[in-house]
């Protein structure tokens, strides 16, 4: 549910908020014992309140990281933005926002989310964090993005935060939060058999589709 503590866990995990009680361990050590820059480099996050900057599209994806045109093209193709970018006169070198640039471009909400997901892939890291990353996408686009994420992140840790349970079925482990507490955990099949909170919410969300 909203306010259950989903995003708070991620903020704590990424040291965006300090732990006020207890500790978070990585390989048996407090996350606060690691160098901050080294620790945070492990994460490639996509937050709900993302920001796009008044730079070029290329800079919004790669920042100061060097990338070839073929790497950019492959990433945009995978994420489903290649046709959109190719339709622009200046391609990836098009500035974002018309507020400061006469030839700037502005995307729809769904296109912006795809751009930010591309940024996370470009950053890399051992852990991909996706905090409601497809909230502005239609169901078909959402399905395509999750299929893509599942395919590309094999062998890596991917953390999904969602209250739309269409995203949970292919997850290896599901953590169910209620009022800031972990109340259930397991696979989709296991949680459905428990007939608890997850089963109740999943059934409520799917009853109108059956």
């Amino acid at each position: 549910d909203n306010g259950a503590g989903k995003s708070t866990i991620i903020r704590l995990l990424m040291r965006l908020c300090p732990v006020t009680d207890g500790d978070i361990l990585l390989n048996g050590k407090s996350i606060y014992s690691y160098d901050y820059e080294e620790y945070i480099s492990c994460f490639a996050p996509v937050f709900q309140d993302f920001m796009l900057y008044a730079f070029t599209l290329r800079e919004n994806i790669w920042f100061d990281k060097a990338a070839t045109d073929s790497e950019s093209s492959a990433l945009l193709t995978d994420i489903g933005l290649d046709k959109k970018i190719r339709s622009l006169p200046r391609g990836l070198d098009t500035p974002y926002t018309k507020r400061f640039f006469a030839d700037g471009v502005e995307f729809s909400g769904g296109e912006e989310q795809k751009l930010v997901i591309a940024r996370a892939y470009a950053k890399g890291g051992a852990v991909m964090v996706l905090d409601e990353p497809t909230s502005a996408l239609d169901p078909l686009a959402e399905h395509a993005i999750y299929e893509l994420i599942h395919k590309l992140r094999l062998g890596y840790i991917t953390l999904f935060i969602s209250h739309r349970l269409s995203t949970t079925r292919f997850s290896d482990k599901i953590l169910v939060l209620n009022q800031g507490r972990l109340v259930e955990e397991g696979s989709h099949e296991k949680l459905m058999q428990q007939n608890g909170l997850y089963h109740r919410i999943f059934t409520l969300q799917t009853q109108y589709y059956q």
Side-chain angles (χ1 to χ4, degrees):
D1 290 339
N2 291 327
K6 303 184 297 296
S7 296
T8 300
I9 284 183
I10 295 301
R11 293 190 182 102
L12 291 169
L13 184 64
M14 295 187 62
R15 292 173 59 174
L16 297 175
C17 298
V19 172
T20 56
D21 187 26
D23 204 352
I24 302 174
L25 306 181
L26 173 63
N27 295 331
K29 295 171 53 180
S30 169
I31 62 173
Y32 296 96
S33 67
Y34 292 91
D35 174 76
Y36 178 77
E37 294 295 334
E38 179 184 8
Y39 177 78
I40 208 67
S41 69
C42 297
F43 296 93
V46 178
F47 293 115
Q48 297 181 60
D49 52 348
F50 59 81
M51 180 71 70
L52 291 174
Y53 304 99
F55 304 132
T56 66
L57 296 174
R58 188 188 306 275
E59 290 168 324
N60 266 286
I61 295 173
W62 296 101
F63 291 99
D64 61 348
K65 186 177 180 180
T68 65
D69 288 341
S70 60
E71 287 176 318
S72 296
S73 178
L75 177 60
L76 293 171
T77 298
D78 284 340
I79 214 71
L81 277 177
D82 52 317
K83 292 181 180 179
K84 175 70 176 184
I85 301 299
R86 286 202 308 268
S87 70
L88 303 174
R90 295 173 59 184
L92 273 175
D93 295 313
T94 303
Y96 194 78
T97 184
K98 296 180 179 179
R99 182 178 298 179
F100 305 113
F101 306 98
D103 60 345
V105 65
E106 294 179 352
F107 286 175
S108 68
E111 290 168 338
E112 286 187 341
Q113 285 191 319
K114 287 183 179 181
L115 192 67
V116 175
I117 292 172
R119 174 194 292 172
Y121 279 115
K123 178 181 185 294
V127 183
M128 174 77 76
V129 178
L130 302 165
D131 188 357
E132 297 284 359
T134 59
S135 59
L137 300 182
D138 61 73
L140 290 177
E142 179 185 46
H143 176 75
I145 286 293
Y146 280 120
E147 286 289 325
L148 168 69
I149 291 169
H150 181 66
K151 179 181 71 173
L152 294 184
R153 297 305 295 183
L154 290 176
Y156 296 84
I157 298 171
T158 305
L159 302 179
F160 292 94
I161 305 171
S162 181
H163 56 256
R164 292 161 63 173
L165 299 190
S166 60
T167 65
T168 60
R169 299 197 63 160
F170 58 78
S171 299
D172 299 307
K173 178 183 283 189
I174 302 165
L175 306 179
V176 184
L177 302 179
N178 186 33
Q179 297 182 356
R181 294 185 177 276
L182 177 66
V183 295
E184 295 175 352
E185 63 178 292
S187 66
H188 170 77
E189 290 74 19
K190 178 182 176 180
L191 292 176
M192 290 300 287
Q193 291 171 3
Q194 290 180 2
N195 203 32
L197 178 61
Y198 179 87
H199 178 275
R200 185 161 69 251
I201 297 175
F202 188 88
T203 302
L204 284 172
Q205 289 193 13
T206 59
Q207 64 179 327
Y208 297 109
Y209 296 98
Q210 298 176 343

